[in-house]
Amino acid sequence: MIAAACPPLFRRLAGSCVALGMVLALAGCSGGDDGSFDVVFMEDEAVLTDSGVRLSPGAQHVRAATRAGLVAINAQGEVVPALADRWNVIENGSIFVFRLRDGTWPNGEELTAPSVRDALQRAIRSLRGTSLGLDLVPVDEVRAMAGRVVEVRLASPMPDLLQVLGQPELGLVHGEGETGPMVLERDGENILLTMRPPAERGLPDSEDWRDYVREVRVTGLEPAQAIERFDDGDVEVVLGGRLGSLPLADLGPLSRGTVRLDPAIGLFGLRARRERGALATPELREALAMAIDRPALASAFNVGGWVPSTRVVAPDLPADPGMVAERWQGSSVEDLRRVAAGRLAGLTGQDKRLTLAIGDAPGEQLLLRELARQFATVGITLVQARSSEGADMVLVDRVARYASPRWFLNQFNCILDDGLCSLEADRLASRALDERDSALRARLMGEAEAALTRANVYIPFGPPLRWSLVRGEVDGFAPNLWAFHPLPDMAVIPR
């Protein structure tokens, strides 16, 4: 069993247990002696350098390494300085004031408040129509002030603004060239990332700085190939492990590495796409949710420490008012399935057949088989959809960007047109944005979650599973809530 060494991290947002995962064996030798550091992402290499705003996890890591925002996210998942070296919050949280570091843009122009303001406005505009764009709705104005100061003014409270501004998609550009701590070049088929001089990273200069950084070679491979290269000692870190690739971790001896599980929060469950058959009404969709034995899902993957949930919003978030509890507490799976079967009994023929858009990776197919077995107990046939376009349901497997109910609710906003939704939930969440009183705002968010729960457009399982392979001698890696592991942190050699 891959057992969580600190299971409470799945249950509450506290602590800093670094090795949340079972150590499979002791660390071995490094993957090379040429001073480079090799990282493999378990995804298609072609998407790692995408230039758009809908980035894969690997592309987010590369973007964060090569393009800086006002702030950044470090290895522990905390907000740290980037283009802004300090900031403060005034006017009861309605104004965030950022003081820019000394320096220039890559094209040689001075890093000024007006140029940063314009770059941030462009980045925000580019995200319109995405869930991250919805997260930024409270941003009312970006102002350039005297003395290299930029102000972000909010129309409504946004306690998580810094976390959002630290996302890779909010990296800023001005003219040609990138602004991040690392420079991207091509090394044959690989991506080669090299650290910029300290002064270009907003740090004090040092003559021997090159002795304390290393190049990072990045590539993308199929999970089985990535694991094989790690097992052979060719790479130090493999990132991007998900549910689909988790069973592969047991295929090889992995004799010189460790599996690290992130205590991630986010969405892991089924999203209804169409109102038909067993998905025609909220009551029928609830029956499907009642048929799920969530602990059995974890057992199928032999994962310890994973805590299932029936809530749309992750439990125990800092702003959670405690209004929405876990569903069906005190009822056995057998009792719930009897009720569910009764509701679904009137369906016949094709109405009892559902298609699910899900990948072909081993873990995804294992999940499909387990879900099909469980749905069969209430008379529903579940099969894999040939395409996501015509599927009745889709698997949602997404890590949160910040720890607020608002992120979860935004993923189901009707504006995104990404499946069934709740206009009532959207209305309540919108009202919450305009509310200055924190207690009332939290209550409205709780009411929005309750409305989305009643609509039964999403069947939650629990938090998403994210894992990595990391050699024991690697510094700069830490499991965190966002399953985000900055490459510059791993490129630094401790003094």
Side-chain angles (χ1 to χ4, degrees), residues 50-224:
D50 278 354
S51 59
V53 295
R54 300 180 187 274
L55 302 176
S56 70
Q60 290 176 10
H61 283 75
V62 173
R63 175 76 63 85
T66 57
R67 187 178 299 183
L70 286 173
V71 295
I73 307 298
N74 69 6
Q76 288 72 36
E78 303 162 336
V79 176
V80 294
L83 294 183
D85 59 15
R86 58 189 184 275
W87 55 85
N88 63 309
V89 185
I90 60 175
E91 299 294 330
N92 295 319
S94 63
I95 301 177
F96 284 67
V97 183
F98 297 90
R99 185 167 297 278
L100 305 177
R101 73 189 191 199
D102 293 331
T104 62
W105 294 99
N107 63 4
E109 294 184 27
E110 185 181 357
L111 189 70
T112 63
S115 63
V116 169
R117 174 202 60 199
D118 294 345
L120 180 55
Q121 288 175 334
R122 285 194 299 272
I124 292 174
R125 284 196 299 269
S126 73
L127 291 166
R128 290 174 181 169
T130 69
S131 59
L132 192 52
L134 287 175
D135 298 331
L136 289 162
V137 164
V139 174
D140 182 52
E141 186 180 9
V142 181
R143 288 187 178 184
M145 313 300 286
R148 303 172 66 82
V149 171
V150 173
E151 286 187 358
V152 177
R153 294 177 171 248
L154 304 176
S156 57
M158 190 176 176
D160 300 287
L161 176 64
L162 291 174
Q163 186 77 25
V164 175
L165 291 178
Q167 299 304 311
E169 293 86 346
L170 270 297
L172 305 183
V173 291
H174 176 79
E176 295 185 359
E178 295 287 16
T179 54
M182 306 189 84
V183 177
L184 186 152
E185 299 174 343
R186 284 287 180 178
D187 177 22
E189 296 182 354
N190 297 326
I191 297 167
L192 185 64
L193 296 170
T194 56
M195 199 72 83
R196 294 181 186 273
E200 296 181 23
R201 291 181 271 138
L203 300 174
D205 213 347
S206 171
E207 292 185 359
D208 63 348
W209 69 271
R210 289 182 178 83
D211 296 335
Y212 297 98
V213 296
R214 52 191 169 187
E215 297 175 334
V216 178
R217 261 198 308 258
V218 177
T219 190
L221 293 172
E222 291 292 325

Side-chain angles (χ1 to χ4, degrees), residues 232-477:
D232 289 343
D234 296 331
V235 299
E236 284 73 30
V237 176
V238 176
L239 300 176
R242 303 166 67 97
L243 172 89
S245 54
L246 186 58
L248 297 175
D250 292 328
L251 295 182
L254 298 177
S255 59
R256 290 170 292 185
T258 62
V259 173
R260 304 285 185 90
L261 279 171
D262 283 294
I265 60 172
L267 296 170
F268 177 41
L270 305 180
R271 174 86 181 267
R273 295 287 297 274
R274 300 194 291 172
E275 288 184 305
R276 75 159 193 89
L279 301 173
T281 67
E283 292 74 23
L284 291 176
R285 296 193 293 269
E286 182 186 31
L288 294 175
M290 295 166 71
I292 302 296
D293 182 351
R294 289 160 181 80
L297 295 181
S299 297
F301 288 90
N302 204 27
V303 174
W306 182 81
V307 179
S309 178
T310 58
R311 290 186 56 183
V312 176
V313 174
D316 302 325
L317 294 182
D320 187 351
M323 294 173 55
V324 180
E326 294 290 339
R327 306 177 79 179
W328 314 300
Q329 296 183 73
S331 299
S332 68
V333 172
E334 293 74 20
D335 289 342
L336 291 173
R337 284 176 174 170
R338 277 193 289 271
V339 174
R343 292 188 193 179
L344 297 164
L347 300 176
T348 59
Q350 285 296 309
D351 285 344
K352 301 187 76 171
R353 183 178 183 273
L354 291 175
T355 58
L356 173 63
I358 191 170
D360 295 322
E364 292 168 314
Q365 288 299 300
L366 179 59
L367 177 64
L368 175 63
R369 290 193 294 272
E370 178 61 22
L371 288 173
R373 183 191 68 78
Q374 295 194 21
F375 277 162
T377 65
V378 294
I380 298 298
T381 300
L382 182 69
V383 298
Q384 185 174 9
R386 294 183 178 178
S387 70
S388 58
E389 291 299 318
D392 297 313
M393 296 185 295
V394 296
L395 177 67
V396 179
D397 185 6
R398 195 174 305 159
V399 177
R401 301 294 189 109
Y402 55 97
S404 168
R406 188 162 166 264
W407 180 87
F408 292 83
L409 296 171
N410 279 349
Q411 308 311 301
F412 301 96
N413 194 290
C414 295
I415 291 176
L416 299 178
D417 193 25
D418 198 27
L420 300 189
C421 60
S422 168
L423 289 172
E424 181 186 4
D426 289 351
R427 177 180 59 81
L428 288 165
S430 180
R431 282 182 56 195
L433 285 184
D434 297 329
E435 182 52 59
R436 296 259 170 202
D437 181 85
S438 59
L440 183 53
R441 184 168 65 249
R443 184 174 68 80
L444 286 169
M445 283 294 183
E447 292 178 4
E449 182 190 352
L452 193 60
T453 300
R454 288 193 299 271
N456 289 294
V457 300
Y458 173 65
I459 301 176
F461 299 155
L465 286 166
R466 293 293 185 272
W467 61 279
S468 307
L469 297 177
V470 185
R471 297 204 182 284
E473 75 274 18
V474 170
D475 292 296
F477 177 96

